[in-house]
Amino acid sequence: METAFRDAHQSIMATRLRTDDMLPICEAMDEVGYHSIEMWGGATFDSAMRFLNEDPWERLRQIKKRLKKTKTQMLLRGQNIVGYRHYSDEVVREFVKRAIGNGIDIIRVFDALNDLRNMSIAAEAVKKEGGELQMTISYTISPVHTLDLFAKQARDMADMGADSICIKDMAGLLSPVAASALVKAIKKKVSLPVQIHSHYTSGMAAMSYMAALEAGADVVDCAISPFAMGTSQPATETIVAALAGGPLDTGLSLEKLLPVAQYYQMLHDKYNDIIMGVSGVNINILLYQIPGGMYSNLQSQLKEGGCLEKFKEVMEEVPRVRKEMGYPPLVTPTSQIVGTQAAMNVISGKRWKMVPNEVRQYFRGYYGKTPAPVDPEIQKLVLGDEEPITCRPGEKIAPEIEQAKKEIGMWCTQPEDILSYILFPQVAKDFLPNKFARENLVDIGQEPQEDPEAYAV
């Protein structure tokens, strides 16, 4: 799978590629013969409206028009959809319906806690709408995340209708040895295709891909070379060349990849000022077992707060907080929740003295079931005598669409605008009136200006 339209630029340039940057190369990419092209979801939806003044739905339609041979793929955060909180069941269903209706073929569904209940509504909707359902194991390392646990999750996902299983290694922690063992464990439980997604941050991803493929994995996620490695994925051309002539030969040709690489080199040069210069290995990722994005975000936040000298202390606090919170995998939004609490514990000088609302909601059960039980003493500190919920969190959320229709009013020019507003109301309040003005040739005043500091990946 090629990630150049989604995760590659999300990883190395904060999701700032424009639709106009993507369209000219679509036909050439369509000729390569990829299994699929990831081109939507994740942070692209938010970023398109917030920074690029673009309609993410129109991007989907325009790219789909040009990809006539290759399947389109997106990343969906389960009940969080492409946002940062849980949304109502009707919103999840409507979003999936519109995503598939506008051109998505494969939807990769994941949940930050690997709580299958948080994936269930999205999974049902994908199957109902006729899309391919790829269900995802968010890979992490902890005393409770065993091969047996991951293999059981894969079996449960197959029972939920999954067409394939993805091992999502967001932190680059998946070693070749672990990759081989995990793929074999899953393949013993299910006969579904297994796809591997990793980041190069720790330097292991290409080796892990090879080990996973030799163990029976079917697809790996790669990025065209100018947008590869660092915090992105292994290079497409490298993996194609490494497998050529053997039993795992991809059948892809470097000649067809050459124009794609040349085009992306031009984009790399165009956006050189915002491309992150992370090209080597970050050994701290292995040491503290946290994603590269979480590492850099904490570093920048402490620097802004004048507390950079406490960075090592915060890094050492993260594993303690994660253990007390039941070993959540560190991926959006749990990475932000754990990281913020660790920083507060260190900066305040007293652990768990200050607790953000998101952490309270986590302990209340509103993010889902934790992989291991949370520390009862910490829960008491955070919640007092309040009992956390045990049901699926989505059951607690009232329908949202009708109210959103009333609030969005005249600015709605397509049904999808309602979903954009529900997902990112503050961003949409600026974006939708300007889109309406462009489409209807009316003047509603000055367009909002981009604030590059307002968005963290």
Side-chain angles (χ1 to χ4, degrees):
M1 182 177 87
E2 175 62 63
T3 67
F5 284 161
R6 206 284 295 178
D7 200 17
H9 74 105
Q10 179 174 323
S11 296
I12 70 166
M13 56 176 285
T15 332
R16 294 299 202 276
L17 273 191
R18 296 180 174 275
T19 303
D20 285 347
D21 294 321
M22 302 176 190
L23 298 183
I25 198 63
C26 281
E27 281 85 355
M29 292 175 73
D30 201 26
E31 293 298 323
V32 169
Y34 292 114
H35 167 265
S36 59
I37 294 175
E38 187 190 45
M39 41 69 73
W40 213 58
T44 61
F45 196 99
D46 179 9
S47 188
M49 291 194 297
R50 189 185 297 265
F51 297 120
L52 308 177
N53 203 21
E54 291 187 4
D55 182 0
W57 298 99
E58 185 59 21
R59 174 183 294 184
L60 169 54
R61 290 188 284 262
Q62 289 297 324
I63 293 177
K64 181 62 176 180
K65 265 187 205 173
R66 291 160 174 82
L67 297 181
K68 302 182 186 301
K69 303 176 182 178
T70 313
K71 289 180 179 179
T72 54
Q73 186 157 344
M74 75 163 291
L75 180 68
L76 188 89
R77 298 171 182 144
Q79 201 79 22
N80 286 27
I81 309 180
V82 291
Y84 306 104
R85 68 167 175 90
H86 282 336
Y87 300 91
S88 67
D89 292 350
E90 63 159 5
V91 173
V92 176
R93 292 187 179 104
E94 182 68 10
F95 185 93
V96 170
K97 175 183 174 182
R98 296 287 171 185
I100 292 173
N102 278 284
I104 290 294
D105 297 308
I106 305 169
I107 297 187
R108 175 179 291 174
V109 182
F110 84 97
D111 176 68
L113 294 176
N114 285 325
D115 187 340
L116 296 184
R117 300 175 306 168
N118 290 337
M119 305 185 214
S120 61
I121 300 299
E124 289 169 12
V126 173
K127 300 299 285 187
K128 180 186 175 187
E129 300 300 329
E132 281 190 43
L133 172 63
Q134 182 171 96
M135 297 194 72
T136 308
I137 294 167
S138 294
Y139 178 77
T140 189
I141 299 170
S142 85
V144 297
H145 288 95
T146 62
L147 287 179
D148 287 343
L149 174 70
F150 286 138
K152 182 183 182 304
Q153 285 178 341
R155 176 69 263 165
D156 292 341
M157 289 171 174
D159 292 341
M160 292 170 71
D163 296 300
S164 60
I165 304 291
C166 174
I167 299 169
K168 179 178 169 66
D169 173 31
M170 54 281 176
L173 295 175
L174 184 67
S175 71
V177 172
S180 178
L182 182 52
V183 169
K184 287 174 182 174
I186 290 173
K187 286 283 187 174
K188 280 182 183 174
K189 291 282 187 180
V190 301
S191 57
L192 297 174
V194 173
Q195 189 158 341
I196 312 294
H197 176 92
S198 188
H199 291 254
Y200 218 89
T201 330
S202 69
M204 293 194 293
M207 293 183 286
S208 298
Y209 278 13
M210 182 65 82
L213 289 166
E214 289 176 340
D218 302 273
V219 185
V220 289
D221 294 3
C222 301
I224 201 71
S225 55
F227 275 51
M229 299 189 289
T231 49
S232 182
Q233 282 76 48
T236 305
E237 304 96 309
T238 303
I239 300 299
V240 167
L243 298 173
L248 297 171
D249 194 319
T250 63
L252 305 187
S253 78
L254 292 176
E255 285 74 20
K256 287 186 177 179
L257 287 166
L258 183 60
V260 181
Q262 290 172 334
Y263 182 81
Y264 270 89
Q265 184 58 55
M266 181 271 291
L267 290 181
H268 191 286
D269 296 341
K270 175 182 175 181
Y271 291 107
N272 191 51
D273 58 328
I274 61 171
I275 293 214
M276 295 179 223
V278 183
S279 56
V281 171
N282 188 339
I283 192 63
N284 291 292
I285 304 304
L286 295 172
L287 190 61
Y288 299 114
Q289 297 181 353
I290 66 168
M294 179 181 177
Y295 181 90
S296 55
N297 279 345
L298 278 172
Q299 199 170 38
S300 68
Q301 287 166 15
L302 289 169
K303 187 176 181 181
E304 286 171 16
C307 307
L308 191 56
E309 75 280 357
K310 296 184 182 289
F311 181 66
K312 186 172 186 293
E313 208 177 330
V314 172
M315 284 294 98
E316 291 168 348
E317 177 68 2
V318 166
R320 286 192 286 268
V321 170
R322 183 173 175 243
K323 179 181 179 182
E324 290 162 342
M325 293 179 71
Y327 292 109
L330 296 176
V331 63
T332 302
T334 49
S335 55
Q336 291 91 328
I337 292 170
V338 171
T340 300
Q341 187 61 56
M344 286 186 168
N345 284 358
V346 170
I347 292 167
S348 69
K350 184 177 179 183
R351 303 187 74 247
W352 299 97
K353 178 184 177 183
M354 298 167 61
V355 179
N357 185 55
E358 289 80 8
V359 175
R360 292 189 196 281
Q361 288 293 86
Y362 178 95
F363 277 94
R364 286 178 177 132
Y366 281 93
Y367 283 92
K369 187 177 187 299
T370 56
V374 299
D375 187 306
E377 291 182 12
I378 303 299
Q379 180 176 299
K380 181 80 172 172
L381 275 175
V382 174
L383 296 185
D385 293 327
E386 182 182 347
E387 286 292 318
I389 65 169
T390 55
C391 66
R392 180 176 64 85
E395 295 174 17
K396 295 283 189 178
I397 304 171
E400 302 174 83
I401 291 178
E402 285 307 314
Q403 180 60 31
K405 285 180 183 176
K406 294 175 188 172
E407 292 175 10
I408 191 176
M410 65 176 283
W411 306 124
C412 179
T413 61
Q414 59 179 355
E416 290 83 358
D417 288 342
I418 297 160
L419 293 167
S420 300
Y421 174 75
I422 292 170
L423 291 164
F424 299 104
Q426 294 307 314
V427 175
K429 281 175 184 175
D430 281 336
F431 172 73
L432 291 175
N434 280 293
K435 183 169 83 82
F436 178 89
R438 288 195 303 274
E439 292 174 1
N440 294 276
L441 300 177
V442 297
D443 183 9
I444 61 164
Q446 188 176 0
E447 290 194 354
Q449 299 298 306
E450 172 173 334
D451 174 12
E453 299 302 317
Y455 183 69
V457 174

